[in-house]
Amino acid sequence: MSDYTSLDEATAAVHNPGTTPDQLFLIASNQPTLWLDVVAHPNAYPGLLDWLQIKGDASVQAAVATRRAQMAAGGPPTPLMRAGAKLPQWVIPVITGLSVIIVVLAVIMAMLLFDRNDQVGTATTSTPVASAKPATASQPATVGQQIKPPNLTSDGAAIVANPTDANAQLILDIHVDYQCPVCEAYEKFFGKTFDQLTSSGQVLFRYHIRSFLDNDLGNSSSLAAGVAATCADTVGSFQAYNDAIWAHQPAEGTGYTDAQLRTDFAADAGITGDNLTKFQACYDQWQTMQVVQNMETINLNSGVNATPTFLVNGKKVDLSKTQADPAAVLATLKAAAGVK
């Protein structure tokens, strides 16, 4: 598979309706000038649109919003959204100007409301308004006794996904943050392939669960999801739970909810009965919080400061040019590790 570092090749591919979602991800990763065309492509998937909305400028964000509306209505892209179409140059300053006006009006309204409440004083009571969306997961008021998941590596840096293959010739270390949209894109591309290799006995998979995006995004969802995944390891369901998280990753910054992490994803991972009770007790008390926090510190100190990062037998490996099938990935890993 091409990595689409050639603009001409990427342009031809993005204008081809048969280009796959995986190929679109690589085009978006390597050719920012084609983001509007990627948005317009019929195979642009929700996760990729989320990523483009976060990374793109006002024209890309407007295009994504229009595309989402079209997808919701079940209609085809409008002429504005067809491959090669660009927003008229006058639209961008108009959008920017309207955004400024909205912000100014919001500030004025907030000031007026604050002044009114200040004048009325304590005699006025307000009725709480229910939030439009569930609150994201956060650290519980009381953290329980800390435990170590059974498949935590001896150095505390990772969780082993397939511990029965400890003697595998290849060790693949995967650094991920559960709020990282590019990690999610790689998971969509390689997830099934990784699952097949996990059960093949040829590769030992070690997941380094990172949580630095909490600082960037102003929430604690990376840590919360890491706690949930490591709690799933305590009942022998790390890999299945890891897959469930990636299958339902929200837009970057939106965050996971407690209901998702303790109930929904557990169901997807097949955690039931006594194991579900044990898992939920672990999550409710964040009993693996220290493990996940230490994991971030240990891995940051090792020099890995970006996600996703892949290392095979300790050597960094680039999977962006590799096809999503076990034989191709295995060949790439062996070549990077110097193994025949």
Side-chain angles (χ1 to χ4, degrees):
M1 177 183 292
S2 172
D3 60 0
Y4 297 108
T5 53
S6 164
L7 179 59
D8 290 341
E9 185 179 13
T11 300
V14 82
H15 291 172
N16 179 357
T19 296
T20 67
D22 303 327
Q23 292 170 323
L24 288 175
F25 160 67
L26 292 175
I27 293 170
S29 299
N30 290 295
Q31 301 294 346
T33 59
L34 297 178
W35 282 357
L36 284 171
D37 302 301
V38 173
V39 171
H41 197 279
N43 289 330
Y45 55 91
L48 182 56
L49 293 177
D50 290 341
W51 186 79
L52 290 168
Q53 186 172 31
I54 293 166
K55 299 294 183 181
D57 60 14
S59 64
V60 173
Q61 292 166 359
V64 170
T66 301
R67 179 64 193 278
R68 289 191 190 284
Q70 293 162 354
M71 292 170 71
T78 63
L80 175 64
M81 295 300 299
R82 290 194 183 116
K86 309 292 182 184
L87 284 179
Q89 290 300 311
W90 60 267
V91 172
I92 298 175
V94 168
I95 293 174
T96 303
L98 288 173
S99 299
V100 172
I101 291 171
I102 291 170
V103 171
V104 171
L105 289 174
V107 171
I108 292 173
M109 289 297 296
M111 292 175 65
L112 290 173
L113 288 171
F114 177 82
D115 183 64
R116 178 178 180 274
N117 288 337
D118 187 57
Q119 291 176 21
V120 172
T122 57
T124 300
T125 59
S126 58
T127 302
V129 179
S131 174
K133 63 178 182 179
T136 55
S138 59
Q139 181 177 329
T142 302
V143 175
Q145 181 178 358
Q146 296 297 287
I147 60 176
K148 287 186 177 181
N151 296 308
L152 183 69
T153 55
S154 59
D155 62 357
I159 294 289
V160 179
N162 52 331
T164 57
D165 298 321
N167 295 321
Q169 189 179 30
L170 299 171
I171 298 175
L172 182 62
D173 289 288
I174 306 174
H175 291 253
V176 294
D177 186 306
Y178 285 127
Q179 290 194 96
C180 165
V182 182
C183 297
E184 187 257 1
Y186 266 85
E187 175 64 25
K188 281 186 178 295
F189 190 64
F190 289 111
K192 292 182 179 179
T193 298
F194 285 170
D195 286 345
Q196 292 177 55
L197 288 174
T198 298
S199 59
S200 74
Q202 299 177 86
V203 183
L204 184 71
F205 284 79
R206 302 194 304 198
Y207 283 84
H208 300 250
I209 300 170
R210 310 297 298 273
S211 50
F212 60 85
L213 280 176
D214 283 349
N215 291 330
D216 296 342
L217 301 174
N219 62 30
S220 58
S221 272
S222 296
L223 178 59
V227 168
T230 47
C231 282
D233 187 58
T234 67
V235 295
S237 298
F238 171 79
Q239 186 63 61
Y241 192 92
N242 176 73
D243 292 345
I245 291 178
W246 292 123
H248 302 284
Q249 187 195 62
E252 189 177 25
T254 301
Y256 299 95
T257 67
D258 282 319
Q260 288 177 314
L261 293 174
R262 79 183 300 275
T263 304
D264 299 345
F265 299 168
D268 287 352
I271 303 174
T272 60
D274 292 341
N275 281 342
L276 178 61
T277 300
K278 181 179 177 181
F279 162 77
Q280 290 183 334
C282 176
Y283 176 74
D284 290 343
Q285 300 176 61
W286 276 31
Q287 290 185 284
T288 58
M289 178 183 72
Q290 192 172 71
V291 165
V292 180
Q293 290 175 328
N294 289 343
M295 206 179 292
E296 172 60 33
T297 301
I298 293 167
N299 287 295
L300 184 62
N301 290 340
S302 75
V304 179
N305 57 8
T307 58
T309 295
F310 303 91
L311 299 101
V312 58
N313 292 7
K315 299 177 181 179
K316 193 170 182 179
V317 58
D318 180 6
L319 294 177
S320 65
K321 301 177 183 179
T322 307
Q323 295 180 359
D325 69 75
V329 171
L330 195 60
T332 298
L333 297 179
K334 287 183 175 181
V339 172
K340 293 183 180 180

